[in-house]
Amino acid sequence: MTGAPTVADVAAARDRALRGGDPTRWPNKLPVRERLAVLFDPGTFVEDGVLASAADDALPADGVITGVGRVEGRPVAVIAHDFTVKAGSWGELTCEKQIRILERADRDLLPVVYLVDSAGGRLTDQMGFFPGRRGASAIFHLQVRLSGRVPQICCLHGPSAAGGAYMPAFCDWVGMVAGNASMYLASPRVAEKVTGERTTLEEMGGAMMHATVSGCGDEVFDTDWEAIAAARLLLSYLPDDFRSAPARSEPAEPERVLGDVVPLDPNSAYDVRDVIEGVVDAGSFFEIKARWAQEIVVGLARLDGQVVGLIANQPSVRSGAIFVDSADKAARFISLCDAFSIPMVFLQDVPGFMVGVDVERQGIIRHGAKLIAAMSSADVPKYTVVLRKAYAAGYYAMCAPGFEPRATIALPTATIGPMSAEASVNAVYANKIAAIADEDERAAYVEERTAEQRADINLLRMGSDLVVDTVVEPAALRAELIARMVDADRWTRSTGRRHHLISPV
């Protein structure tokens, strides 16, 4: 172009930016501006930097859309990669636009939604995106600065490659689209060249792998719009920033009556989600990382309209024992709740931490310590419910009385102790038992000692010694929790500073 641009020239450049590239090359993807239409309330999105790289017809908006719109009336910042423009890759101006919107989110305390679909750094512009003060490293620095101050939610619609894979990793929640989303530090081709390992993109970094094996993904969705709809829903559980409280909603009765869901037999399995559905407002449970480390269940819900975080052992998977991954899963969720002033309810039915050579080599003590440290340092209101088993260090990790829950509530099926009565007898009297030759005499001795052990840890004793604050029937548990949470309505954090970031798993 020669001479000064005309109004028509500027209008044409803007039109090119709004059109982007050719989305028909990816028929199973929602074009980026249609993604924004799903995310934001109609007519509320205000875009920044639409004329970036306007002089280059091949780089409409430089491959990323940034700005602020409203979600259910709340202002929310967005970074949305345009996969039709150089595969959403990052150049100098792509980084600058992302940095600028994150700086605004930091200044104005705006939640951020990331609609990620990027092949990574644009190697033809490597000096622009990689080494400098306003390159990709500044984006990650700002994400960490924002962590725990405002919600950061990622919908992963396509690749998130190389260093760019850390953009989702620094977010509080990552929803991945099956068949399209991937997250990896190096492509299968690069991995084969470096290590000799042959694999596929789906096996190494696909949505289901990250949701079930690595834990980097929180949920898998079939379509772009479903992932974005889930992000909108999740925002409704979170406050605008760390200084605010989550919004209350109209209460709703639970989906079921919590009757005899919890079996008397400590070895019988049941789904703890049935307990959750009998306690929280109907349809309000938003489970997080449901496909990963399934021996523990975590998620947000509403209790009489108030947002709460739930951490529950899952007896139907690995007996609800705590493994390395489940310790990490619970620790990170606790960190999220504590950062955003969300009260927590611990539902205990735990035989303890898993033991054995494999888990010791994986660092179960270190990972268990992370869980206990996160739980212990959280200063939001915490409530402990002992559903059935509460044994060994698992009882501690799930907010035992020594960690100052506001109340420890037990169901009539609850048992608290270093181990089960049967295991305790075997540990204490093993030599004596082995010395009894007569089988009937041995069985009678074991039964007598087991009855003594059970008597030592019965619920009346636990209440008498102030280990539990009350014992309630299952049908009364919801009302008990609601009444106790009302008593905590005046709770505020003692400092106005960000409590902590939300550490990646």
Side-chain angles (χ1 to χ4, degrees):
M1 181 184 298
T2 60
T6 66
V7 172
D9 292 333
V10 174
R14 180 179 175 82
D15 287 343
R16 285 195 301 273
L18 294 176
R19 284 197 305 273
D22 180 10
T24 62
R25 293 172 56 196
W26 295 270
N28 60 340
K29 283 189 175 185
L30 200 62
V32 65
R33 292 188 182 276
E34 292 185 29
R35 292 172 182 170
L36 292 172
V38 175
L39 174 64
F40 289 124
D41 301 346
T44 64
F45 179 56
V46 179
E47 184 173 351
D48 294 327
V50 68
L51 294 177
S53 296
D56 188 341
D57 290 349
L59 287 172
D62 212 85
V64 67
I65 300 170
T66 61
V68 176
R70 293 187 175 265
V71 175
E72 298 295 332
R74 299 165 58 188
V76 174
V78 72
I79 288 173
H81 301 131
D82 189 345
F83 61 90
T84 70
V85 179
K86 299 288 186 181
S89 59
W90 297 6
E92 180 177 4
L93 292 182
T94 325
C95 289
E96 181 64 24
K97 289 177 69 174
Q98 293 177 103
I99 290 167
R100 288 176 64 193
I101 194 63
L102 292 176
E103 287 174 334
R104 188 193 303 182
D106 184 49
R107 182 181 66 243
D108 297 348
L109 287 180
L110 299 174
V112 185
V113 173
Y114 302 79
L115 305 181
V116 176
D117 197 338
S118 172
R122 194 179 301 152
L123 295 180
T124 54
D125 191 7
Q126 60 184 352
M127 292 305 293
F129 83 82
F130 184 69
R133 293 180 181 274
R134 303 288 287 186
S137 62
I139 296 171
F140 305 142
H141 176 56
L142 283 161
Q143 283 192 275
V144 174
R145 184 190 295 176
L146 286 165
S147 182
R149 299 185 72 227
V150 299
Q152 297 185 87
I153 295 175
C154 174
C155 296
L156 190 49
H157 300 280
S160 182
Y166 287 102
M167 177 171 274
F170 289 127
C171 291
D172 305 330
W173 180 87
V174 180
M176 303 180 72
V177 179
N180 289 335
S182 59
M183 211 182 329
Y184 51 89
L185 294 181
S187 68
R189 182 176 62 182
V190 172
E192 181 179 356
K193 191 163 186 66
V194 173
T195 69
E197 181 182 41
R198 291 191 174 185
T199 185
T200 65
L201 181 60
E202 191 64 28
E203 181 182 26
M204 185 173 72
M208 197 57 71
M209 188 286 288
H210 280 303
T212 60
V213 179
S214 77
C216 291
D218 286 273
E219 190 51 90
V220 177
F221 300 91
D222 291 330
T223 63
D224 287 343
W225 75 263
E226 288 174 303
I228 298 169
R232 280 180 60 99
L233 178 59
L234 177 56
L235 276 171
S236 71
Y237 290 86
L238 299 173
D240 292 332
D241 58 69
F242 74 104
R243 303 170 306 181
S244 311
R248 291 178 179 259
S249 63
E250 285 297 315
E253 289 300 308
E255 292 182 355
R256 60 187 302 154
V257 175
L258 187 58
D260 56 356
V261 170
V262 182
L264 286 170
D265 181 356
N267 298 314
S268 293
Y270 65 95
D271 190 340
V272 76
R273 294 183 189 88
D274 292 339
V275 175
I276 292 170
E277 288 178 0
V279 172
V280 304
D281 294 7
S284 71
F285 184 49
F286 189 103
E287 189 169 355
I288 291 176
K289 295 190 187 299
R291 303 170 192 259
W292 183 57
Q294 295 182 20
E295 62 274 10
I296 204 158
V297 173
V298 302
L300 300 169
R302 289 185 173 85
L303 188 61
D304 201 40
Q306 180 179 357
V307 176
V308 297
L310 293 157
I311 304 96
N313 306 113
Q314 177 57 291
S316 66
V317 179
R318 294 169 153 183
S319 300
I322 301 172
F323 285 71
V324 166
D325 284 347
S326 44
D328 284 352
K329 173 179 172 178
R332 187 169 196 268
F333 179 72
I334 289 167
S335 175
L336 172 75
C337 292
D338 190 40
F340 293 122
S341 301
I342 298 171
M344 289 182 282
V345 177
F346 293 80
L347 300 176
Q348 290 207 20
D349 194 338
V350 59
F353 282 87
M354 188 58 189
V355 298
V357 174
D358 287 346
V359 291
E360 293 292 358
R361 291 184 174 185
Q362 292 165 16
I364 187 67
I365 297 170
R366 176 167 50 86
H367 291 269
K370 286 166 59 178
L371 168 55
I372 292 172
M375 176 273 299
S376 181
S377 61
D379 66 359
V380 296
K382 294 174 287 190
Y383 304 87
T384 299
V385 179
V386 183
L387 301 175
R388 193 172 56 173
K389 301 183 300 293
Y391 295 154
Y395 167 58
Y396 285 3
M398 292 292 291
C399 199
F403 295 97
E404 299 182 342
R406 289 184 171 241
T408 299
I409 303 164
L411 297 190
T413 42
T415 304
I416 301 170
M419 59 185 71
S420 69
E422 292 78 7
S424 179
V425 167
N426 185 63
V428 174
Y429 302 104
N431 292 336
K432 175 68 174 176
I433 293 169
I436 301 174
D438 183 79
E439 289 188 11
D440 291 339
E441 182 184 349
R442 187 189 312 124
Y445 179 83
V446 169
E447 179 56 37
E448 185 178 344
R449 300 287 83 76
T450 302
E452 290 173 355
Q453 290 289 323
R454 289 196 184 111
D456 198 38
I457 58 174
N458 70 62
L459 277 180
L460 185 58
R461 169 75 181 274
M462 292 296 168
S464 178
D465 290 349
L466 299 182
V467 174
V468 299
D469 293 293
T470 188
V471 179
V472 300
E473 293 295 328
L477 178 57
R478 172 181 163 89
E480 182 75 23
L481 286 168
I482 289 171
R484 291 183 179 274
M485 285 191 178
V486 168
D487 291 341
D489 274 350
R490 292 174 61 84
W491 173 84
T492 56
R493 204 179 297 283
S494 58
T495 175
R497 299 180 60 193
R498 174 180 70 167
H499 193 50
H500 54 68
L501 58 75
I502 298 164
S503 176
V505 171

